[in-house]
Amino acid sequence: MKKLTLLFTLTLSTLANAWVIDGLGEYKFEALDTQVQVMHGPLGEPNKQNHGFMNNPGMIIGADGVIVIDPGGTYQVGQQVIEEIKKITNKPIVAAFNTHVHGDHWLGNQAIMEQYPNAKIYAHPAMIAQAKDGAGDSWVGIMDTSTEGVSKGTIAVYPTDATTHLQEITVAGETFKIHNDITGVAHTNTDIMIEHVGSKTLFLGDNDLINRFGRFDGTSDMHGNIKALEYAIDLGFDHYVPGHGPSGNAQNAVQPFLDYLLIVQDETKKGYEEDLADYEIKPFADKKLANYRDWHGYDAQLGRHINKMLLEIEDRDN
């Protein structure tokens, strides 16, 4: 009963706090558990209106500090995330995790390290290497262009500590477990999924998307992404947090994207066996994907996803 009362109190407190973005509404941390909260960002692309905010920053309140997951895509978003955290707790931020190299998730590191210079930031070793090798600066430019200068002043502040698969990290009395060596490559080759052990919560980064489609580029592997989602579901956790879209249980916050990828895989494989081109496969896949047509990016990404899947199938057949 005490836990339920605390959760109810947290929820009421959270509803009283909100970051208002003109034309987009209110964004606030929502309690998944007595310690775990998530701010679910807009589903669109980074732009001037959303200030470059589009991901799902998470926070875990520990005994003597706060741990942040993916603090956002610009310095300004990172500042706002911190301000929203301060409305909930006066504990300092002592650590953060970055799920992968795409800057819409981690350029908010700058705001954390500015206010909490002793904090540690954890990420996949390949993410750190790629970010330092130009990906960080590239993402600063992408966000500056996309937001029409709203993100001006953002600089790439890199993670401080590299992680390993199944590594357990204890911060502020809270234990986190890293999951990444499932396939080697999924959404990118820099992904980590972060388990908060106490609440049985898994932060999947962009290995999981709900109500939104992203790109699968040259560092992605759609077959690997399928395996990562199957692995995540098999863990049997209580809460799953996608990189974009609403959190929930395995059935409503992971299975939908997995089903989408499996349909694309199945229809593309059939088309490959019939020697069809990607544009010839697309109408067959579209018929099976009626439930996904209202997801952001469906029209823009379906053809690209089929093309990427076809290339992977061809590569595996040779």
Side-chain angles (χ1 to χ4, degrees):
M1 180 62 71
K2 184 177 180 181
K3 182 176 181 180
L4 288 174
T5 302
L6 179 56
L7 180 57
F8 180 68
T9 302
L10 277 171
T11 302
L12 289 178
S13 174
T14 298
L15 289 173
N17 303 315
W19 171 23
V20 179
I21 300 179
D22 290 344
L24 293 179
E26 297 182 347
Y27 293 90
K28 55 188 176 293
F29 278 101
E30 303 171 73
L32 302 186
D33 185 82
T34 55
Q35 293 175 290
V36 181
Q37 301 194 40
V38 178
M39 183 189 294
H40 297 96
L43 294 174
E45 307 306 316
N47 55 51
K48 183 177 181 178
Q49 185 182 23
N50 64 27
H51 303 191
F53 176 47
M54 55 183 294
N55 75 306
N56 289 342
M59 62 173 288
I60 296 89
I61 303 174
D64 54 5
V66 175
I67 301 91
V68 176
I69 314 292
D70 282 352
T74 69
Y75 171 57
Q76 292 80 4
V77 171
Q79 287 180 310
Q80 190 62 52
V81 168
I82 292 171
E83 289 307 305
E84 294 304 311
I85 290 172
K86 288 179 178 178
K87 293 176 183 178
I88 298 168
T89 177
N90 60 6
K91 295 179 180 180
I93 294 174
V94 294
F97 290 88
N98 297 159
T99 57
H100 63 293
V101 75
H102 293 161
D104 58 305
H105 291 258
W106 65 271
L107 289 175
N109 287 355
Q110 179 185 359
I112 290 178
M113 296 306 287
E114 178 181 77
Q115 296 192 41
Y116 306 99
N118 294 322
K120 289 188 175 183
I121 302 180
Y122 298 90
H124 192 293
M127 181 273 178
I128 300 173
Q130 290 179 29
K132 290 181 176 180
D133 195 36
D137 290 337
S138 176
W139 270 99
V140 169
I142 290 170
M143 299 305 282
D144 184 58
T145 300
S146 299
T147 64
E148 301 177 45
V150 171
S151 67
K152 186 175 178 60
T154 299
I155 62 173
V157 173
Y158 309 115
T160 60
D161 289 62
T163 62
T164 59
H165 180 51
L166 300 183
Q167 177 183 3
E168 291 193 356
I169 300 167
T170 300
V171 186
E174 301 302 312
T175 300
F176 299 85
K177 190 172 184 178
I178 305 301
H179 300 268
N180 67 266
D181 194 19
I182 303 104
T183 63
V185 184
H187 177 67
T188 71
N189 57 2
T190 67
D191 303 309
I192 59 172
M193 298 189 293
I194 303 129
E195 171 191 351
H196 176 238
V197 175
S199 65
K200 295 184 178 179
T201 299
L202 187 68
F203 294 85
L204 293 95
D206 282 1
N207 287 335
D208 186 30
L209 306 169
I210 297 295
N211 296 336
R212 183 187 193 280
F213 290 118
R215 300 177 182 178
F216 284 95
D217 59 24
T219 63
S220 301
D221 189 295
M222 297 181 78
H223 289 79
N225 207 141
I226 289 169
K227 291 180 181 178
L229 293 178
E230 291 173 338
Y231 172 91
I233 290 173
D234 286 345
L235 291 172
F237 292 144
D238 293 342
H239 311 287
Y240 291 86
V241 183
H244 304 268
S247 303
N249 56 32
Q251 189 61 35
N252 59 33
V254 185
Q255 194 68 49
F257 190 48
L258 174 58
D259 288 344
Y260 169 83
L261 293 177
L262 290 171
I263 291 170
V264 171
Q265 180 187 54
D266 185 53
E267 292 302 314
T268 303
K269 186 174 181 180
K270 289 178 184 176
Y272 173 71
E273 292 171 349
E274 296 174 13
D275 201 27
L276 299 180
D278 52 5
Y279 66 88
E280 295 174 305
I281 298 169
K282 185 177 177 180
F284 295 101
D286 179 63
K287 289 181 180 178
K288 298 288 184 68
L289 294 168
N291 291 336
Y292 297 90
R293 290 175 188 155
D294 62 347
W295 283 33
H296 176 83
Y298 178 83
D299 292 333
Q301 298 301 331
L302 176 58
R304 295 173 183 175
H305 291 173
I306 292 170
N307 176 264
K308 180 69 166 67
M309 184 68 77
L310 186 59
L311 292 173
E312 291 184 15
I313 291 172
E314 289 174 343
D315 183 62
R316 283 164 170 74
D317 198 40
N318 293 327

